[in-house]
């Protein structure tokens, strides 16, 4: 098992961002059988179920597709109680005017950015990691 990292600088230094293939969209599932769509993620909100779907799946199911998002996975095994990784990533992207939606899972954090800014986001995150690594 991979070691869980809790310290902010260690999380950032170890994040090793990876741009995943595909385009994703956030959708309101409504009354649709969203389980059959095999969403990448779902969250039950007060207003209903939100799902993250591959763009083609969403289009085939008849969802209105807004701006597609690229998925960047941070490959550090960050602790759920670790403080600072999300703030560092979101802050660095915000400084460059890049919107991001963060999704934390048990083992990794995932960053969704507009597809047309994915390369810029990757460059920023790689630079952020390098700065943290050099500061260790």
């Amino acid at each position: 098992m991979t070691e869980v990292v809790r310290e902010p600088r260690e999380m950032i230094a170890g994040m090793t961002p990876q741009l995943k293939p595909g385009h994703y969209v956030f959708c309101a599932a409504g009354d649709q059988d969203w389980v059959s769509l095999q969403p990448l993620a779902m969250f039950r909100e007060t207003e209903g179920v939100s799902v993250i779907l591959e763009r083609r799946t969403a289009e085939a199911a008849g969802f209105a597709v807004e701006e597609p998002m690229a998925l960047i996975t941070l490959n550090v095994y960050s602790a759920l109680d670790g403080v600072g990784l999300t703030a560092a990533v979101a802050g660095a992207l915000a400084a460059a005017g890049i919107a991001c939606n963060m999704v934390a899972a048990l083992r990794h954090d995932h960053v969704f950015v507009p597809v047309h800014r994915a390369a810029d986001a990757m460059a920023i995150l790689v630079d952020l990691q390098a700065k943290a690594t050099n500061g260790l």
Side-chain angles (χ1 to χ4, degrees):
M1 177 177 234
T2 304
E3 181 182 342
V4 177
V5 180
R6 282 187 173 76
E7 296 301 318
R9 185 176 283 166
E10 290 177 10
M11 287 189 293
I12 297 164
M15 67 183 180
T16 313
Q18 179 183 18
L19 181 62
K20 299 289 190 169
H23 296 169
Y24 298 87
V25 293
F26 288 68
C27 303
D31 293 333
Q32 187 144 9
D33 175 19
W34 56 268
V35 174
S36 67
L37 299 174
Q38 298 182 333
L40 179 64
M42 63 77 59
F43 196 89
R44 188 175 312 277
E45 300 181 279
T46 302
E47 300 84 358
V49 174
S50 293
V51 293
I52 302 172
L53 300 171
E54 290 185 7
R55 180 182 184 172
R56 289 184 183 145
T57 299
E59 288 172 339
F63 285 100
V65 173
E66 302 280 328
E67 182 174 12
M69 306 294 273
L71 169 58
I72 300 171
T73 294
L74 306 181
N75 287 299
V76 64
Y77 192 167
S78 56
L80 292 175
D81 62 353
V83 176
L85 179 61
T86 299
V89 168
L93 294 174
I98 300 174
C100 73
N101 289 280
M102 302 289 298
V103 174
L106 178 60
R107 293 175 185 87
H108 303 288
D109 293 277
H110 308 276
V111 186
F112 290 88
V113 298
V115 167
H116 71 279
R117 298 297 308 270
D120 297 332
M122 279 296 297
I124 289 165
L125 297 179
V126 167
D127 184 58
L128 180 65
Q129 179 181 9
K131 288 177 181 171
T133 301
N134 293 333
L136 283 177

